Amino acid sequence: MRYILLTALLLISLPLAADKVEQAAEVVLPAMDTPIGARATAMGEAFTAVADDASAVYWNPAGMTQLQAPAVGLSYNKWFADLSVQNLGAVAPVGGLSLGGLVSYVNFGSFPLRDGTGQEIGTTQPSNIGGVLAAAKGFGPFSFGVSLKGYQEKIADYSLSAFAADAGAQYRLGKFRLGACAHNLGKAGDFDIPMNIRIGVAYLHSLEHLSILLSGDSRVGIKDENVFDLGSEIGYQGMLFLRGGYKLKSADDLLAGSKGLCVGGGVRHGYFALDYAMVSFGEMGATHRTTLSFDFATSVAEAPAQAPVRKPKLKKRDSKKSVAAYNAGVRYEKEKDYRNAAKKYQESVKQDPDNAKAWRRLGVVYYRYKKKSSAIKCFRRYLKLNPDDEKIRRVLKKLEQ
């Protein structure tokens, strides 16, 4: 009950804080509000309720609890002219917490310096560097997270620094996800920084080979009006992804051509994922983002076996029940509902103890939950049925150390 009250208080306080936000005047350090991650950007930045990869440090620190193993993301954002943004983020579960960090660097390119008469006396290369440390804790379907950040912007001999905090929450209810996050709570001396507040919802549905993710965010900030972001992602067998989104400030934006349109895609194989996003700014052109990700959990759960899995010898009276339970477990696992996935895999191997695929998936789920002894038992049983899978053999060896 107390977690429900905490979440309610956070959601109620956001609109109240938004009224104060809109009254702010001058805003500095816009780089603190620069979106990161090609996946989130391709989904129209509607990522508050999703936030399930290394970029959660930026979008919603509460989302870090969805990662059951370490993950790292390296992003490059090519803006207009010579402006570019680089980010390196990482998340890891440590004990009962999820910890994360982010380093960001913005290169504004080169600009001429002039004296009082307008005579050029040299050049300067403005830059912005920032760092974020975050922590999150899960309580069943609820999760809460906070982050502390520091940014410094330098132009010639002038520099400006700011320290701020983010606070976010997520709630998972079956196929639905709810999220809220207040960003950049702080100031830079006498100046305001780009504080903003986001509330989001997401829906994930899994089919036999496809996953469908729909998301939406509502945002209020100092430097802009109400912004509504819409996003979508379609995945094929957890390996290929197509994404699209739209950033909408007002109804007039619907008539502004491609302005606000976001598109992209990604590929995932084993440990690695490569994502791309393009964001249209109408007549100004478009910006491009790429992200290279490394996910330990994905490497175990998604990587194909090195050799074909032997076809299990199913008992005729149990074959249909075993296969049905296994398929149900796969659907739950795609929805990140690992508790029900484990139950279905257990039911599958109970109906047919020689179902190698079910033993493998059950071991992966236990691995995510850090149930080391249970994962070892499942992987050992799997390798008896499929001894040629060197991938799982290496994982088992590591667990047994």
Side-chain angles (χ1 to χ4, degrees), residues 360-378:
R360 185 177 193 270
R361 286 287 186 174
L362 183 58
V364 168
V365 172
Y366 282 140
Y367 177 85
R368 291 181 184 271
Y369 268 114
K370 303 188 187 315
K371 294 184 177 181
K372 184 177 178 180
S373 60
S374 297
I376 289 174
K377 291 179 182 178
C378 292

Side-chain angles (χ1 to χ4, degrees), residues 43-47 59 198 215-219 227-231 246-248:
M43 293 177 63
E45 301 177 17
F47 214 64
W59 293 102
R198 285 179 172 270
S215 61
D217 271 21
S218 175
R219 159 183 162 150
V227 178
F228 298 96
D229 301 328
L230 301 174
Y246 203 91
K247 297 176 60 61
L248 181 65

Side-chain angles (χ1 to χ4, degrees), residues 324-353:
Y326 172 79
N327 290 337
V330 171
R331 289 194 295 271
Y332 278 123
E333 192 174 352
K334 289 180 179 179
E335 295 169 3
K336 299 184 183 296
D337 188 349
Y338 300 121
R339 187 179 301 276
N340 283 321
K343 290 181 180 179
K344 289 300 180 180
Y345 292 143
Q346 289 169 351
E347 181 182 338
S348 180
V349 297
K350 182 178 180 180
Q351 297 292 340
D352 173 35

Side-chain angles (χ1 to χ4, degrees), residues 116-132:
T117 64
Q119 184 70 26
E120 185 172 334
I121 58 175
T123 60
T124 182
Q125 291 183 317
S127 63
N128 181 294
I129 187 168
V132 183

